[in-house]
Amino acid sequence: MNMMNPDISLSKEIPEDDTRRQYYYIEKAKEYVRKESEEIGRPLTFCVTTFGCQMNARDSEKLRGILEKIGYQEAPEETADFVIYNTCTVRENANTRVYGRLGQLKPRKKENPHMRIGLCGCMMQEPEVVEKLKKSYRFVDIIFGTHNIFKFAELITERYETGKMVVDIWKDTDKIVEDLPNDRKYFFKSGVNIMFGCNNFCSYCIVPYVRGRERSRDPQAIISEIRKLVADGVVEVMLLGQNVNSYGKNLEHPMTFAKLLQEIEKIEGLERIRFMTSHPKDLSDELIEVMGQSKKICKHLHLPVQSGSTRILQKMNRRYTKEQYLELVAKIRKAVPDISLTTDIIVGFPGETEEDFQETLDIVRKVRYDSAFTFIYSRRTGTPAAAMPDQIPENVVKDRFDRLLKEVQTIASEVCAVHEGTVQTALIEGVSEHDSSMVTGRLSNNLLVHLKGSKELIGQLIPVQLTECKGFYYLGEMAE
Ligand code: 5AD
Ligand code: SF4
């Protein structure tokens, strides 16, 4: 049966199978949307705004897919009838931003009786947040979490039928519902979930509490999704998981991530494979070997270090030392000599001394990252680190953050300059935001290059001469 178009009839019983059940609700919601649009004499519009990581971006594509199927049309947030915030909660400021924007929606909703507001994503998995919304943000229509986004059409139907705020949050799940609609942002590349959740419990991190336990998708489901994507024009996939290196451990027939990559590599027509995120403690020799031999895996590894101090790493529950991380980097560079390494670093973890911070600067100097995301430690209620003594004063953290950023940027621009003059393949992703006579392409190492060209090139892999390094991107020319 073609799941994209299963034969669903509203006059029959509600199907039990999760996917079919959702197609039933898609049909049902479509009826309500059609009636409402007829009443007001125009189509209803929606906008999904994504906060946070690539995982959320992929979830938003699923939300958009469902909304389009039920008859909503996409529009800018300012005019949309249905505004959905797919939220993040990894750091406190992400939450603050959502409350701010919600406040701005309230007067709009008073003016537009057809307006709906939906909230989902990681922030909704926090009970205090939902309590606050239920109490002080009664104008929100639908609230759901990370485990049940597949139920979006069902929740929309419920909102139509009850006329009340719909709240549906699951604490955890072992479900993975396949074959629902999605609407890709780019026709030539796509994220592909390979696993959900995280079992690591790094002591600062809220993700394991809001994304639940690790669950791997069945390899056949992943491969068949990628085959379909390729048939639909996709040349690059980004395999997504909080910790892709522990892929497959909980499958009925366990399979390593390296093996999964080898299977994906065989898919004809697929040109590039990326993945994120890797936890250093689980990065196997097998994976390094596969990366070294692969023709399709991009020469880029995002390997979050978080801190250069073994003492802090231990308190963070990262389960590797500074030395082990450096050894791993050496091993990777030996197997894949021109690989680009990027990382995440947190400054101001509880108890971090100037000495610890110097260790972080030291590891940055030793590894020489192509780029690094630097974060100020954010205290997340419920995580072990939130209860640790010695939370670092803001001014001290800010000073360390500035020093780290400077170091990271200086090194990144030096590393970037090394490739100046070389010819590399770029996947053209779009017309340049600054100059409409130029296009922007992504290199295997994940850096961007801007070159003269028109929109016909979008989605193509072309050789580009990197003529000038601009610190963290290049200017280039199409090579012969
Ligand atoms: N404070 C600051 N940064 C955090 N991260 C995760 N939790 C926190 C926190 N409480 C960062 C880590 C992770 C990235 C996605 O976000 O560096 O790798
Ligand atoms: Fe958070 Fe650590 Fe899991 Fe990454 S590996 S999501 S930092 S707990």
Side-chain angles (χ1 to χ4, degrees):
M1 182 179 49
N2 174 7
M3 265 311 177
M4 287 303 166
N5 251 329
D7 59 291
I8 296 289
S9 159
L10 290 181
S11 55
K12 289 192 198 145
E13 268 180 40
I14 303 174
E16 269 181 34
D17 167 78
D18 273 309
T19 305
R20 291 180 59 82
R21 182 183 166 90
Q22 289 314 310
Y23 276 98
Y24 172 90
Y25 280 110
I26 285 172
E27 286 308 313
K28 203 145 194 203
K30 200 166 163 180
E31 274 300 295
Y32 288 119
V33 171
R34 192 180 56 77
K35 275 190 206 136
E36 193 177 356
S37 323
E38 264 174 24
E39 264 169 47
I40 55 175
R42 63 170 177 86
L44 288 167
T45 56
F46 78 91
C47 177
V48 180
T49 301
T50 313
F51 298 83
C53 66
Q54 311 243 14
M55 206 72 115
N56 265 18
R58 181 67 181 147
D59 284 349
S60 290
E61 294 185 345
K62 297 176 186 171
L63 298 173
R64 281 207 299 275
I66 292 173
L67 286 162
E68 279 164 4
K69 265 250 167 342
I70 68 174
Y72 268 96
Q73 292 185 2
E74 194 155 17
E77 190 181 318
E78 302 76 53
T79 60
D81 297 300
F82 197 167
V83 173
I84 297 103
Y85 291 155
N86 187 6
T87 64
C88 167
T89 187
V90 78
R91 286 168 291 275
E92 181 66 33
N93 56 5
N95 293 34
T96 319
R97 274 169 63 206
V98 168
Y99 288 124
R101 290 180 67 155
L102 265 183
Q104 290 169 5
L105 288 184
K106 194 176 177 182
R108 271 187 57 201
K109 191 158 182 202
K110 278 212 172 111
E111 277 168 27
N112 177 2
H114 302 282
M115 185 153 179
R116 308 260 188 284
I117 299 171
L119 296 175
C120 62
C122 295
M123 193 176 150
M124 301 306 124
Q125 293 295 137
E126 292 180 274
E128 314 81 71
V129 169
V130 176
E131 280 318 304
K132 180 166 168 171
L133 291 167
K134 281 206 246 178
K135 212 165 135 227
S136 315
Y137 294 80
R138 294 295 315 165
F139 57 96
V140 174
D141 295 280
I142 302 179
I143 299 175
F144 54 110
T146 54
H147 303 302
N148 56 348
I149 63 158
F150 72 90
K151 274 184 75 182
F152 193 32
E154 186 172 342
L155 301 176
I156 293 173
T157 306
E158 191 179 332
R159 176 66 184 78
Y160 269 111
E161 291 179 350
T162 63
K164 294 201 180 115
M165 182 189 229
V166 175
V167 182
D168 189 12
I169 311 284
W170 299 2
K171 260 188 136 58
D172 202 350
T173 187
D174 51 11
K175 255 187 198 171
I176 298 178
V177 182
E178 299 285 354
D179 291 325
L180 286 171
N182 70 75
D183 172 39
R184 293 199 311 276
K185 192 167 169 202
Y186 303 96
F187 70 85
F188 52 86
K189 69 169 188 174
S190 179
V192 174
N193 298 108
I194 62 163
M195 59 192 302
F196 302 91
C198 180
N199 287 352
N200 289 314
F201 292 94
C202 300
S203 64
Y204 50 82
C205 185
I206 201 164
V207 168
Y209 307 89
V210 297
R211 287 265 174 189
R213 295 294 64 72
E214 260 175 39
R215 300 164 317 274
S216 296
R217 266 180 89 190
D218 181 62
Q220 282 319 318
I222 297 170
I223 287 164
S224 108
E225 180 180 349
I226 299 177
R227 283 220 180 94
K228 276 189 211 138
L229 288 168
V230 170
D232 198 33
V234 164
V235 290
E236 177 179 304
V237 290
M238 165 78 92
L239 309 176
L240 298 170
Q242 295 315 329
N243 178 14
V244 290
N245 302 110
S246 65
Y247 171 81
K249 285 185 183 158
N250 56 359
L251 285 171
E252 199 181 298
H253 303 287
M255 181 185 204
T256 61
F257 178 53
K259 190 84 189 74
L260 177 72
L261 280 171
Q262 284 177 306
E263 292 301 315
I264 295 175
E265 174 117 12
K266 290 182 197 152
I267 298 176
E268 239 171 84
L270 180 68
E271 304 284 346
R272 279 181 166 183
I273 307 169
R274 299 183 185 277
F275 54 84
M276 100 178 331
T277 292
S278 289
H279 194 306
K281 81 174 163 60
D282 296 314
L283 199 136
S284 66
D285 289 350
E286 187 196 9
L287 175 62
I288 296 176
E289 200 187 314
V290 168
M291 288 182 77
Q293 290 165 357
S294 169
K295 299 259 179 305
K296 296 186 179 175
I297 301 174
C298 287
K299 304 250 177 271
H300 171 221
L301 182 65
H302 185 64
L303 195 63
V305 65
Q306 313 298 2
S307 168
S309 153
T310 296
R311 196 180 74 85
I312 294 292
L313 285 170
Q314 198 178 7
K315 286 188 170 200
M316 286 177 161
N317 192 29
R318 291 291 289 177
R319 287 173 274 174
Y320 53 83
T321 63
K322 180 187 186 189
E323 289 68 32
Q324 283 166 335
Y325 185 94
L326 285 169
E327 276 165 31
L328 186 61
V329 165
K331 212 159 34 169
I332 295 161
R333 287 224 162 106
K334 194 161 165 232
V336 196
D338 41 359
I339 196 159
S340 143
L341 288 176
T342 59
T343 201
D344 293 342
I345 304 170
I346 298 175
V347 286
F349 185 83
E352 183 189 75
T353 61
E354 177 60 27
E355 227 175 6
D356 293 315
F357 176 67
Q358 287 300 330
E359 294 279 354
T360 296
L361 286 179
D362 184 59
I363 206 162
V364 164
R365 288 181 193 127
K366 288 205 165 99
V367 178
R368 298 182 61 75
Y369 293 104
D370 290 68
S371 78
F373 295 102
T374 50
F375 303 108
I376 286 181
Y377 166 73
S378 172
R379 195 172 181 174
R380 309 309 288 123
T381 312
T383 61
M388 287 182 188
D390 282 336
Q391 302 280 330
I392 312 293
E394 214 179 297
N395 59 334
V396 177
V397 182
K398 186 73 183 59
D399 173 63
R400 286 181 195 161
F401 181 82
D402 291 344
R403 283 188 282 154
L404 176 64
L405 193 63
K406 212 167 139 214
E407 193 70 46
V408 162
Q409 285 176 343
T410 309
I411 294 172
S413 66
E414 288 166 12
V415 175
C416 180
V418 173
H419 303 290
E420 209 176 71
T422 62
V423 173
Q424 297 194 19
T425 306
L427 173 59
I428 306 302
E429 297 196 335
V431 173
S432 160
E433 281 173 17
H434 307 290
D435 180 345
S436 61
S437 70
M438 297 184 95
V439 289
T440 301
R442 192 174 296 271
L443 305 171
S444 175
N445 70 9
N446 210 36
L447 285 186
L448 296 179
V449 56
H450 304 283
L451 60 149
K452 281 265 175 256
S454 61
K455 65 176 191 301
E456 287 70 42
L457 291 172
I458 296 173
Q460 292 188 34
L461 285 149
I462 55 171
V464 177
Q465 166 111 36
L466 309 178
T467 48
E468 194 184 342
C469 166
K470 289 285 200 182
F472 54 95
Y473 67 92
Y474 298 98
L475 293 180
E477 284 165 10
M478 217 185 288
E480 289 311 309

